[in-house]
Amino acid sequence: MTANPVWSVDPRTGKQRERVAVEATAADADAAVRAAHAARGALADRAARAAFLRAAADLLDGAAAQVVESADAETALGGARLTGELARTTGQLRAFTEVIEEGAYLDIRVDRADPSLTPPRPELRRYKVPLGVVAVYAASNFPLAFSVPGGDTASALAAGCPVVVKAHPDHPATSELCGALLRRAAVESGLPADVVTVVHGFDAGLELIRHPLVSAAGFTGSIRGGRALFDAAAARPVPIPFHGELGSLNPVVVTPAAAAERAEEIGSGLAASVTLGVGQFCVKPGLVLVPEGADGDLLTAALAKQLGQTGPGVLLDHRMRDAFTAGVRERAALPGVGAPVTPGPDGEHGVRAGYLAVAAARLLEGGPYELLLEECFGPVTVVVRYGGADEAAAVLARLGGNLSATLQLSRAETEGAPGPASALIAQVTGLAGRIVVNGWPTGVAVAPAQHHGGPYPAATSHSTSVGGTAIERWLRPVAYQSVPDALLPPELREANPLGLPRRVTGA
């Protein structure tokens, strides 16, 4: 049987660039997982893991020109954007070396024996251990930061878990290049190359989620694809954790006071956020509540002007372009939905940015208008004109889980006593994983306090895929009761030979 070829395609022309690999067969996927499983013991050395991630970051930086050129040829995201994404990616790898070396992620807790308690307490020592082989499903829209060398891979390796990455078909050459650099870094750090493996093909993705030696999975992509894998992970004879980022509308609420204070500034900022990366960010603001009246009109006029001045762009592939144009067309055809700046196709390969407009009362009718509450991937947003706080709250109550929610508030609302703005904060806290005030959700800082996730369908778990605490997804706790010191793992021994932070009897 002939293996299916994997082609790198130029989204600017739709033409094949080069054949870079073949799709993995069931036997190939099995071999990759088994090799990763066999290599897991080598990752037990924390110092070696830290050295590996640091070497990977250095090799990626050293190959920056080649990596950026390859990624741009396959995604049309542009050199400037991809140079920044590469810096974010290598910075994230280095950040996880600090997480490893500090050791707080192990969450070590020691409770001394106390026979005087009721019931008596035995000696207990607890820490976290790696789950095992992790399957990572790369994202289309971030060929570096959420792909082969991205956050799922970096955090899993930092936890001590070998990784098999199912590359995204939109950037297979970049995936192969980055995979080779990670494997080289592993070998140069004294680890087996098979702590990271890249496979291609839809069937390979299914084989990974079903493989008995895969212990967890990370995914960034569509609700449909992510939910199918999530269900498969739960249906296994031994279910496994599936940490998926699936889709998000990322609502924005502009208060009347904010619109009165800086309507044009907000309109221009919204346009820039909606069109960043040709609207292909998972945190693109896709639903914007704007007050009715003259101030709201000024805001939408500024939005329309800025969008009208935005040149056409190219989406990641022609399938996404078709889905974008069909999705916009279907939404714009609903009664009462306008298109002040019409988004849609531009020429044979490009797309134009724009926005749709609807009254809140019409949206709240439900039925076919539920479509406006679904993500439309690409440079478009839906502006909902609302008449009062109750109507805005009713729209928000219709939303599912989101990665982010943004509030545009006036200076008085941010500096005054708690009031309506506090109620808005409370409401959006219930539906999003990150709350932004007087900013825009596009651009997710890699920082210890970051949370990139949210209630379903934004994510399938309550964990973050960005920041140091992303490592927690790939660990499980183990408690040791009355185990002699010589038999304990080094991390838990009384003398603390590794100098790790720990809580002892609550202190």
Side-chain angles (χ1 to χ4, degrees):
M1 182 170 133
T2 303
N4 293 324
V6 175
W7 290 90
S8 172
V9 176
D10 183 349
R12 295 179 174 95
T13 64
K15 295 181 179 179
Q16 294 176 339
R17 297 177 57 248
E18 59 177 324
R19 175 174 167 168
V20 298
V22 295
E23 292 185 356
T25 64
D28 294 333
D30 176 67
V33 172
R34 293 187 181 279
H37 186 259
R40 71 194 189 283
L43 286 172
D45 186 330
R46 289 170 50 247
R49 295 206 306 271
F52 166 36
L53 295 186
R54 194 172 285 115
D58 290 344
L59 286 176
L60 285 162
D61 280 341
Q66 185 182 4
V67 170
V68 169
E69 180 182 10
S70 174
D72 180 52
E74 294 187 303
T75 67
L77 288 172
R81 147 73 195 272
L82 290 164
T83 297
E85 186 180 332
L86 178 59
R88 170 205 170 110
T89 302
T90 57
Q92 187 165 241
L93 286 163
R94 293 186 179 98
F96 275 113
T97 69
E98 298 173 5
V99 171
I100 296 168
E101 291 167 345
E102 181 199 38
Y105 75 96
L106 293 168
D107 195 22
I108 298 172
R109 295 168 185 263
V110 176
D111 286 324
R112 307 287 188 204
D114 190 341
S116 69
L117 296 176
T118 304
R121 184 175 66 208
E123 181 87 0
L124 290 166
R125 293 170 184 257
R126 177 186 183 273
Y127 81 143
K128 294 182 178 179
V129 298
L131 292 175
V133 178
V134 170
V136 169
Y137 295 81
S140 62
N141 55 340
F142 282 84
L144 305 173
F146 285 86
S147 187
V148 172
D152 285 350
T153 299
S155 58
L157 292 169
C161 297
V163 172
V164 180
V165 184
K166 205 290 284 183
H168 196 279
D170 278 351
H171 35 79
T174 306
S175 298
E176 282 291 306
L177 173 58
C178 292
L181 292 169
L182 291 181
R183 288 170 66 84
R184 176 181 157 193
V187 172
E188 291 180 359
S189 303
L191 298 174
D194 288 330
V195 295
V196 181
T197 304
V198 176
V199 297
H200 300 265
F202 178 83
D203 290 343
L206 296 178
E207 294 293 336
L208 291 182
I209 203 68
R210 296 168 180 160
H211 200 288
L213 294 181
V214 169
S215 299
F219 171 90
T220 302
S222 70
I223 293 177
R224 181 180 178 184
R227 183 57 194 252
L229 291 171
F230 177 58
D231 290 346
R236 290 169 37 130
V238 178
I240 59 171
F242 181 86
H243 299 286
E245 180 198 317
L246 308 188
S248 185
L249 205 57
N250 307 300
V252 177
V253 181
V254 182
T255 67
E261 187 175 88
R262 46 194 175 87
E264 293 183 356
E265 176 188 329
I266 294 171
S268 296
L270 173 61
S273 187
V274 168
T275 58
L276 188 64
V278 202
Q280 297 172 113
F281 276 51
C282 49
V283 287
K284 179 203 73 177
L287 187 82
V288 187
L289 279 72
V290 175
E292 295 175 351
D295 295 324
D297 292 345
L298 281 175
L299 190 156
T300 55
L303 170 65
K305 179 181 178 182
Q306 189 72 23
L307 290 175
Q309 294 174 349
T310 302
V314 175
L315 296 185
L316 293 161
D317 61 39
H318 282 60
R319 177 182 56 83
M320 291 184 188
R321 180 179 183 270
D322 292 343
F324 169 71
T325 56
V328 167
R329 188 183 309 115
E330 186 178 5
R331 288 162 173 80
L334 293 170
V337 175
V341 180
T342 304
D346 185 272
E348 189 177 354
H349 306 290
V351 294
R352 298 188 309 275
Y355 81 96
L356 306 176
V358 67
R362 183 61 65 94
L363 180 63
L364 291 170
E365 292 177 13
Y369 295 95
E370 293 293 322
L371 182 61
L372 297 174
L373 303 181
E374 297 177 11
E375 180 182 19
C376 187
F377 196 69
V380 63
T381 192
V382 175
V383 172
V384 181
R385 300 300 295 270
Y386 70 93
D390 290 345
E391 203 167 46
V395 172
L396 292 174
R398 301 292 293 271
L399 304 185
N402 286 269
L403 295 171
S404 72
T406 298
L407 303 181
Q408 294 292 340
L409 306 176
S410 69
R411 179 174 297 179
E413 288 171 319
T414 60
E415 296 178 351
S422 297
L424 266 178
I425 290 274
Q427 185 173 16
V428 297
T429 295
L431 60 88
R434 178 166 59 106
I435 313 303
V436 181
V437 171
N438 291 349
W440 298 104
T442 40
V444 181
V446 179
Q450 184 59 273
H451 184 81
H452 190 60
Y456 185 86
T460 59
S461 72
H462 298 304
S463 302
T464 179
S465 61
V466 176
T469 53
I471 196 173
E472 295 171 359
R473 298 174 294 169
W474 321 118
L475 300 162
R476 67 176 180 88
V478 179
Y480 294 79
Q481 179 175 326
S482 304
V483 175
D485 194 68
L487 300 181
L488 287 168
E491 292 86 351
L492 297 180
R493 290 176 188 166
E494 181 64 23
N496 194 10
L498 302 179
L500 296 168
R502 52 173 64 181
R503 290 185 67 85
V504 179
T505 315

